[in-house]
C-alpha cells in the first residue's frame, strides 16, 4: 500500500514538465542510457541527472548499471497504486450497481416473456 509520503514524492516528481518528458522518453525506449536521454534536452546533463534523482526517489524510474553507463527503465507501479487507492472502492460501487441493473433488466425481460406466452 502506498503511503502519503510516497504519494507526495510521486506527485512532486510528476509536477515538472521535464520530468514527465523524461518518463515519456524512458517509456518509449526502455534501457535508454543517461547520456542518450540527456542529449534529448536543451539543459545540462547535471540538470537531467537532478530530475532523474527526483524520479528515482519517487520510484518512477529504475536504473541499472551496465559497465560505465546507466540504463533507465520506467516503473509505473507507484502511479498504478495511486490510481487503485481512489478507484478500487469507486469501481466496486459501480460494479455492484451495474450488476443490480442487469438483474432488474433480466427480471423484467423474464416477466415480459411470461406475459407474452399467456
Amino acid at each position: 500500500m502506498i503511503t502519503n509520503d510516497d504519494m507526495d514524492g510521486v506527485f512532486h516528481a510528476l509536477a515538472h514538465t521535464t520530468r514527465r518528458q523524461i518518463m515519456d522518453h524512458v517509456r518509449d525506449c526502455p534501457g535508454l542510457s543517461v547520456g542518450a536521454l540527456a542529449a534529448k534536452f536543451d539543459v545540462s546533463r547535471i540538470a537531467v541527472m537532478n530530475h532523474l534523482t527526483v524520479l528515482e526517489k519517487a520510484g518512477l524510474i529504475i536504473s541499472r548499471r551496465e559497465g560505465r553507463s546507466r540504463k533507465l527503465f520506467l516503473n509505473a507501479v507507484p502511479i498504478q497504486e495511486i490510481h487503485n487507492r481512489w478507484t478500487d472502492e469507486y469501481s466496486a460501487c459501480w460494479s455492484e450497481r451495474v450488476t443490480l441493473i442487469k438483474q432488474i433488466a433480466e427480471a423484467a425481460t423474464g416477466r415480459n416473456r411470461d406475459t407474452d406466452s399467456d
Side-chain angles (χ1 to χ4, degrees), residues 2 6-7 9-15 19-20 23-24 27 55 58-61 74-88:
I2 192 163
D6 294 336
M7 284 192 302
V10 171
F11 286 126
H12 171 71
L14 294 173
R19 289 193 282 267
R20 291 190 304 270
M23 290 177 58
D24 288 340
R27 177 201 60 213
L55 290 166
L60 295 168
I61 295 288
L74 179 68
N75 180 25
V77 171
I79 296 169
Q80 185 64 48
E81 287 177 335
I82 291 170
H83 174 268
N84 291 345
R85 177 182 178 193
W86 280 296
T87 60
D88 280 352

Side-chain angles (χ1 to χ4, degrees), residues 18 22 25-26 32-49 52 72:
T18 302
I22 288 171
H25 288 298
V26 173
L32 185 67
S33 71
V34 173
L37 176 66
K40 297 178 181 289
F41 293 93
D42 289 332
V43 296
S44 69
R45 184 181 174 118
I46 292 178
V48 171
M49 294 290 292
L52 282 172
L72 304 170

